Amino acid sequence: MRILMIAPEPFFEPRGTPFSEYHRIRALIELGHTVDLVTYPFGRDVSLAGLRVFRSARPPFVSEVGIGPSWRKLPLDLAVFATACRRALWGKYDAIHSHEEGSWFGVVLAGLLRLPHLYDMHSSLPQQLTNFAYSRSRLVKAVFGALERFVIRRSRVVIVICPQLEEVVRGIDAAVPSVLIENAPGSGDAPVEGSGAAVRRELGIDARTPVVLYTGTFEAYQGLDLLFASMRAVIAARPDARLVLAGGRPDQIETARAQAAAVGIADAVIFAGQRPAEEIPSFLDAADVLVSPRSLGTNTPLKIYQYLRSGRPIVATRLLTHTQVLDDDVAFLTAATPDAFGAGVLAAIADPDRARAIGARARHLADTKYSYEAYLSRTRDACAHLFRDRAPQMAGGVA
């Protein structure tokens, strides 16, 4: 089948939704489909047999786009819509597959062309307003909620990335099929044993020094304020421990550096900056403990799947954002308070035998429940819903 995919993100950039889009495309191609992707004018070119990328025009004075809701995205999204319309007129497609707010005009375009629509739901867009502290306006939230209901009710199938989003879909329209496909492949590769030694040398960290590692963005919902506050107790008990953070834009790093200094742990914190995706596995190998202090939201952080594959002990807040995937068998789960989180980190450092056992169970979970084979099978299920009225034609492509 020929699929027109609408992705209002910079593709490709090494961050959550673009990672998910890349692996969704890869799976669709592996199942025998072809994809024409309409996306922002920013991002690294990607070469996959069966994929063609069509970039929208760049609006004046727009040179980049951040993570989360922004009025700056409006002219970009309109440019993406215009490009999608042109592609729809020139190309003969069997379905439209849209991501995030691209679904707003994806369902309209699908309706005009009488094509089935697949909504790739990475988050609840009304909830993003809260997570990113974008707007407290009830009117804006109501508009986002209405658009979300509109998209779900007019989609033939919805892909969701976590169980909580399944509940959102069922709450809006239980008749619309939803397929849960966790973002495990998009989280990155597992570390190669021994590769972390070079990272420790680069950062000036001794081989015996306990390393607590955070990877990912520095957005407010990630809970870095909680992490810094919790590390006070860790450093007090283990002055040799070091907190390493891989991620963050330069301006965010300066703000985080000031936060760390304010709680008195500046000398124990190392900011490694944003790193290419291919370097992150070596950072994981260099770590003794992996942390996810997220304090807001319900979506499972993409990094959790890579953390699981690493076999390192994970310390995470006992919130729905984590407990949809993690439990006490595969992680040190704590209350979302500095004292509790710090105690969790210290427990992972102080009891290496328990930490290794938890890490081994985490790796086993990743290798079984979150394998690429499971991901591909669920993508096949979503396609079966999408092309249900054309099953005989697609049988050879998905067998």
Side-chain angles (χ1 to χ4, degrees):
M1 295 296 175
R2 295 192 64 200
I3 298 171
L4 177 63
M5 183 178 287
I6 304 170
E9 280 83 35
F11 185 89
F12 175 74
E13 280 192 0
R15 64 195 208 193
T17 303
F19 269 128
S20 179
E21 291 161 351
Y22 173 84
H23 287 279
R24 200 79 81 229
I25 292 167
R26 177 185 163 200
L28 289 169
I29 291 171
E30 192 165 337
L31 293 174
H33 308 296
T34 60
V35 177
D36 282 1
L37 174 69
V38 177
T39 189
Y40 282 173
F42 318 119
R44 190 172 73 219
D45 289 335
V46 168
S47 179
L48 286 172
L51 168 67
R52 295 192 301 173
V53 178
F54 298 90
R55 298 191 181 277
S56 70
R58 183 172 69 84
F61 313 113
V62 179
S63 58
E64 61 179 1
V65 62
I67 298 173
S70 169
W71 288 112
R72 295 180 63 188
K73 288 186 174 182
L74 182 58
L76 281 167
D77 288 348
L78 291 174
V80 165
F81 183 37
T83 303
C85 288
R86 286 196 297 272
R87 289 308 314 154
L89 290 174
W90 284 100
K92 293 183 178 180
Y93 296 103
D94 299 294
I96 294 179
H97 180 153
S98 61
H99 300 261
E100 298 284 37
E101 73 270 17
S103 61
W104 299 347
F105 39 83
V107 292
V108 173
L109 196 54
L112 291 172
L113 298 175
R114 297 183 179 179
L115 295 176
H117 179 261
L118 186 158
Y119 175 30
D120 216 317
M121 189 177 187
H122 302 270
S123 62
S124 174
L125 294 175
Q127 190 182 84
Q128 280 198 25
L129 299 176
T130 301
N131 291 352
F132 288 91
Y134 177 70
S135 174
R136 294 183 179 180
S137 167
R138 292 183 179 180
L139 176 60
V140 172
K141 192 169 183 178
V143 169
F144 273 57
L147 287 168
E148 183 171 82
R149 293 190 295 274
F150 171 75
V151 168
I152 288 172
R153 287 168 177 161
R154 285 160 180 78
S155 296
R156 182 168 289 185
V157 60
V158 180
I159 291 177
V160 295
I161 64 164
C162 63
Q164 191 274 334
L165 291 177
E166 279 189 304
E167 295 179 10
V168 172
V169 174
R170 283 196 297 267
I172 291 173
D173 192 336
V176 176
S178 62
V179 179
L180 173 61
I181 309 179
E182 293 94 344
N183 276 331
S187 60
D189 297 326
V192 175
E193 188 173 353
S195 61
V199 170
R200 283 181 174 255
R201 286 195 297 271
E202 175 192 343
L203 300 179
I205 300 174
D206 184 84
R208 294 166 294 182
T209 298
V211 170
V212 179
L213 176 68
Y214 170 86
T215 68
T217 69
F218 280 25
E219 304 301 326
Y221 63 87
Q222 297 283 17
L224 293 188
D225 53 345
L226 168 63
L227 176 60
F228 293 141
S230 70
M231 286 299 295
R232 290 182 61 182
V234 175
I235 301 304
R238 291 295 302 264
D240 59 330
R242 293 294 177 266
L243 171 63
V244 176
L245 298 99
R249 300 189 309 270
D251 60 312
Q252 292 175 320
I253 290 174
E254 288 310 305
T255 299
R257 199 185 301 277
Q259 289 178 317
V263 296
I265 61 167
D267 292 342
V269 181
I270 299 171
F271 293 94
Q274 288 183 328
R275 297 292 178 130
E278 55 269 22
E279 290 186 15
I280 297 302
S282 296
F283 275 80
L284 300 176
D285 188 65
D288 296 283
V289 180
L290 307 175
V291 292
S292 183
R294 186 174 287 200
S295 54
L296 289 173
T298 55
N299 290 357
T300 303
L302 192 64
K303 59 176 163 276
I304 289 298
Y305 302 104
Q306 191 176 31
Y307 280 9
L308 288 168
R309 282 197 295 275
S310 75
R312 297 295 189 273
I314 302 167
V315 180
T317 49
R318 194 186 294 276
L319 300 175
L320 185 60
T321 184
H322 293 126
T323 57
Q324 294 175 103
V325 170
L326 303 177
D327 59 28
D328 292 306
D329 284 338
V330 297
F332 292 83
L333 295 176
T334 80
T337 65
D339 288 347
F341 202 83
V345 173
L346 281 171
I349 293 174
D351 192 343
D353 290 338
R354 181 186 174 201
R356 276 192 295 270
I358 285 177
R361 290 194 293 269
R363 183 186 291 128
H364 177 73
L365 177 66
D367 290 343
T368 52
K369 186 174 181 179
Y370 302 117
S371 68
Y372 185 70
E373 290 72 21
Y375 180 91
L376 196 63
S377 175
R378 292 172 189 170
T379 306
R380 183 182 290 110
D381 291 342
C383 289
H385 286 293
L386 183 63
F387 299 119
R388 63 179 183 237
D389 53 349
R390 306 182 66 175
Q393 294 175 264
M394 66 175 289
V398 300

